[in-house]
């Protein structure tokens, strides 16, 4: 039976390719294809490489669906409709760590190389073509595949440089975190922006001369030429599929060489320096596990300020999926590499400043949804976070509670830790603030704020006496 168009929500990020459009219908992810895209899909489904990558979980599972499930585009019915597997939590490349972006890049290039061998290529090379199942990258842009045409370069090369290669080089060669650069512009880092940073001897670092300086020169030289003209020039010069294949292999080799091991930060060894006694730690772990397990099994848990993922690992034992959010890119990178080595597919680590979370971006501010719009969690863990926001970042306590409630699905729960002003960690933060700046930072005030917004179902004062844990059902 056809679904009413009022029940169909177009994906705001899928408008750039008119040949196919993604829609959400309930929990289903559907893609409408025009006539040519449908032909490409049928060829793709019958290829050798595509089913193999789906079976290996490197490409999202996709199947044919009734064409009546999504509305027609501009009055013309879709030639075909596809149903994709649903990714548990959509993230953006500027929320990934260095190793995450590099692994996503390597998967993209691996798929492209296999596609070329089988007579296919991809229209673009955007980092946004990939998502994650925990610490496992997965290619999601099925509409990007099309038959390769001899004598033409990879159409996605520039996008790949701007959203993947340049960010990786920025961090690997200069030690500069790429996340703010990518967040600032949805189309990635332009060569002209990066080139001034790679002068002198830096020009000789891996990939810089070929993919930054020479690429920039070619862009300037062909600025007035159409894409068709450039392709014709390359064909006339003898550009072949074999040369394209070799180019992709060279880029794979380059990306594997790019590496970054940041210096230790304050948060790298937080579990040792945070001041918990053994009794406090045991009591806290027991409380958190019981609080997550209480009630219906959560589909999604957010662990805010996850650090090394200790509580994310506890939570995932009682939930379907956990998103572990941490501000320090180095800490997230270490957590990701550990989760990847464990084969963890249900914990996704992300780089995010809780006091400045990812906003909406791109066209009309909705092409890339903000963190709050994506985060409708059944359980939100906010452990040892409130004092950093309320004292460290001067966010009023009512605002903190309202923000946590806004990240929670209807009827969901927050599991939150209040660190009293007498606690050594809070005292250290207060020492850097004017006296009397936070008169309302008290446990009784905090409890009253919680009770006004929900129902406190569990409460535990840790043995040290300076920290209290709460489980509160919001709106309950």
């Amino acid at each position: 039976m056809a679904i009413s168009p009022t029940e169909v929500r177009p994906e705001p990020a899928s408008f750039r390719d008119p040949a196919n459009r993604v829609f959400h219908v309930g929990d289903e992810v559907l893609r409408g294809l025009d006539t040519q895209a449908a032909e490409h899909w049928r060829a793709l489904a019958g290829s050798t490489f595509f089913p193999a990558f789906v079976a290996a979980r490197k490409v999202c599972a996709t199947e044919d669906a009734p064409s009546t499930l999504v509305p027609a585009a501009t009055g013309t019915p879709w030639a075909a409709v596809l149903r994709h597997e649903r990714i548990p939590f959509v993230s953006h490349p500027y929320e990934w760590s260095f190793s995450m972006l590099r692994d996503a890049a390597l998967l993209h290039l691996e798929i492209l190389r296999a596609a070329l061998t089988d007579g296919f290529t991809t229209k673009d090379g955007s980092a946004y073509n990939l998502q994650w199942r925990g610490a496992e990258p997965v290619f999601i842009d099925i509409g990007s595949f099309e038959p390769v045409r001899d004598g033409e370069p990879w159409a996605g090369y520039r996008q790949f440089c701007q959203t993947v290669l340049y960010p990786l080089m920025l961090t690997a060669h200069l030690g500069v975190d790429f996340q703010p650069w990518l967040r600032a512009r949805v189309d990635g880092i332009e060569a002209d922006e990066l080139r001034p940073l790679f002068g002198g001897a830096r020009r000789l670092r891996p990939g810089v001369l070929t993919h930054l300086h020479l690429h920039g020169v070619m862009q300037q030289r062909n600025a007035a030429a159409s894409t068709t003209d450039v392709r014709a020039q390359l064909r006339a010069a003898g550009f072949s599929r074999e040369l394209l294949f070799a180019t992709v292999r060279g880029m794979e080799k380059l990306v594997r060489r790019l590496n970054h091991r940041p210096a230790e930060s304050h948060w790298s060894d937080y579990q040792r320096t945070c001041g918990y006694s053994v009794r406090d730690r045991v009591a806290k772990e027991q409380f958190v596990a019981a609080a997550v397990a209480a009630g219906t099994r959560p589909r999604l848990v957010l662990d805010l300020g996850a650090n090394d993922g200790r509580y994310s690992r506890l939570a995932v034992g009682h939930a379907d999926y956990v998103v572990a959010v941490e501000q320090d890119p180095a800490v997230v990178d270490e957590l990701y590499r550990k989760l990847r080595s464990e084969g963890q597919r249900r914990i996704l680590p992300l780089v995010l400043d809780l006091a400045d979370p990812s906003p909406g971006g791109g066209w009309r501010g909705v092409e890339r949804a903000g963190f709050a719009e994506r985060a409708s969690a059944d359980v939100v863990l906010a452990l040892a976070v409130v004092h950093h926001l309320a004292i460290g970042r001067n966010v009023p306590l009512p605002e903190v509670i309202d923000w946590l409630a806004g990240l929670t699905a209807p009827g969901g729960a927050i599991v939150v830790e209040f660190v009293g002003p007498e606690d050594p960690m809070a005292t250290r933060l207060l020492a850097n603030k004017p006296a009397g700046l936070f008169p309302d930072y008290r446990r009784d005030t905090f409890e009253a704020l919680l009770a006004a917004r929900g129902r406190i179902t569990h409460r535990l004062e840790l043995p040290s006496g300076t920290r209290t844990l709460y489980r509160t059902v919001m709106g309950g």
Side-chain angles (χ1 to χ4, degrees):
M1 181 177 68
I3 294 179
S4 168
T6 59
E7 300 173 340
V8 177
R9 294 174 289 113
E11 167 55 51
S14 74
F15 68 90
R16 292 178 181 263
D17 184 356
N20 65 98
R21 187 76 191 268
V22 175
F23 300 86
H24 300 276
V25 181
D27 284 340
E28 289 198 313
V29 181
L30 304 169
R31 184 188 297 269
L33 306 176
D34 70 7
T35 301
Q36 186 178 58
E39 292 177 2
H40 292 168
W41 159 248
R42 285 189 283 271
L44 184 67
S47 69
T48 300
F49 87 96
F50 182 79
F53 273 93
V54 172
R57 296 176 57 85
K58 295 181 177 181
V59 173
C60 70
T62 302
E63 63 183 11
D64 287 293
S67 59
T68 54
L69 288 182
V70 295
T74 62
T76 303
W78 295 108
V81 171
L82 305 179
R83 179 184 287 111
H84 300 304
E85 70 168 290
R86 188 174 186 84
I87 300 301
F89 188 88
V90 172
S91 60
H92 303 319
Y94 45 83
E95 297 168 340
W96 304 348
S97 72
F98 177 87
S99 295
M100 293 175 74
L101 184 61
R102 187 180 64 177
D103 285 352
L106 289 171
L107 176 59
H108 199 155
L109 293 171
E110 178 189 359
I111 291 171
L112 176 59
R113 179 164 46 83
L116 289 171
T117 303
D118 218 3
F120 287 84
T121 185
T122 55
K123 298 177 186 177
D124 51 43
S126 174
Y128 294 92
N129 286 354
L130 294 109
Q131 283 296 324
W132 296 87
R133 302 186 196 94
E136 176 185 75
V138 54
F139 190 91
I140 62 167
D141 191 7
I142 306 305
S144 179
F145 290 104
E146 65 178 1
V148 67
R149 292 180 287 271
D150 286 330
E152 293 191 2
W154 179 30
Y157 172 71
R158 181 178 179 180
Q159 264 192 335
F160 187 85
C161 286
Q162 292 182 182
T163 63
V164 180
L165 187 58
Y166 294 165
L168 290 175
M169 291 198 303
L170 183 68
T171 302
H173 294 330
L174 302 183
V176 176
D177 291 329
F178 66 81
Q179 290 85 1
W181 290 62
L182 273 186
R183 172 172 154 171
R185 183 175 296 175
V186 71
D187 291 327
I189 305 171
E190 297 278 356
D192 288 346
E193 295 175 299
L194 208 57
R195 197 178 302 114
L197 303 180
F198 284 93
R202 288 176 176 173
R203 294 165 63 95
L204 303 178
R205 296 186 180 181
V208 172
L209 189 60
T210 300
H211 298 290
L212 182 59
H213 287 286
L214 293 182
H215 181 210
V217 170
M218 292 299 294
Q219 282 183 307
Q220 291 173 357
R221 181 179 300 172
N222 296 305
S226 68
T227 301
T228 301
D229 291 339
V230 173
R231 288 174 175 173
Q233 292 171 15
L234 287 169
R235 280 195 296 269
F239 190 88
S240 64
R241 190 183 305 187
E242 290 72 23
L243 185 55
L244 174 57
F245 189 85
T247 300
V248 175
R249 288 297 298 265
M251 293 184 73
E252 276 189 288
K253 184 178 179 180
L254 168 61
V255 171
R256 290 187 190 280
R257 290 180 64 188
L258 297 177
N259 201 6
H260 178 62
R261 286 292 182 268
E264 292 287 319
S265 71
H266 167 72
W267 302 107
S268 300
D269 198 23
Y270 180 73
Q271 290 298 338
R272 185 181 64 82
T273 62
C274 62
Y276 286 103
S277 67
V278 174
R279 292 177 62 206
D280 278 1
R281 192 184 302 279
V282 170
K284 181 175 178 177
E285 290 179 354
Q286 291 175 345
F287 182 92
V288 171
V292 175
T296 304
R297 180 180 176 89
R299 293 179 61 183
L300 176 65
V301 173
L302 294 183
D303 184 4
L304 306 179
N307 197 257
D308 66 355
R310 174 186 294 267
Y311 297 100
S312 294
R313 286 182 168 89
L314 281 176
V316 83
H318 307 282
D320 294 341
Y321 203 75
V322 176
V323 176
V325 173
E326 172 58 45
Q327 178 179 345
D328 191 326
V331 174
V332 175
D333 204 61
E334 177 67 20
L335 174 58
Y336 165 72
R337 285 186 277 113
K338 288 180 179 178
L339 295 172
R340 180 188 61 190
S341 68
E342 298 165 6
Q344 177 57 257
R345 294 173 174 171
R346 295 194 295 123
I347 300 177
L348 171 65
L350 294 180
V351 179
L352 197 81
D353 181 352
L354 298 180
D356 184 22
S358 304
W363 174 243
R364 299 178 68 184
V366 298
E367 184 178 355
R368 307 298 173 193
F371 180 71
E373 286 71 46
R374 290 172 277 144
S376 181
D378 301 299
V379 175
V380 174
L381 302 182
L383 307 171
V385 162
V386 169
H387 60 300
H388 288 292
L389 293 173
I391 302 175
R393 306 295 284 272
N394 288 40
V395 181
L397 274 181
E399 294 277 348
V400 174
I401 302 301
D402 286 343
W403 180 67
L404 293 174
L407 300 178
T408 310
I414 63 172
V415 181
V416 60
E417 178 177 9
F418 183 77
V419 177
E422 70 280 7
D423 184 271
M425 294 297 290
T427 301
R428 189 181 307 172
L429 291 173
L430 287 166
N432 296 318
K433 302 289 183 176
L437 185 61
F438 303 102
D440 295 328
Y441 186 81
R442 305 190 311 270
R443 188 171 71 174
D444 59 341
T445 301
F446 184 75
E447 288 189 3
L449 290 170
L450 281 180
R453 290 158 176 79
R455 176 170 54 89
I456 300 174
T457 62
H458 300 72
R459 178 192 290 105
L460 175 68
E461 183 176 324
L462 295 182
S464 65
T466 62
R467 300 186 176 214
T468 308
L469 296 165
Y470 304 86
R471 179 184 185 272
T472 303
V473 178
M474 305 312 295

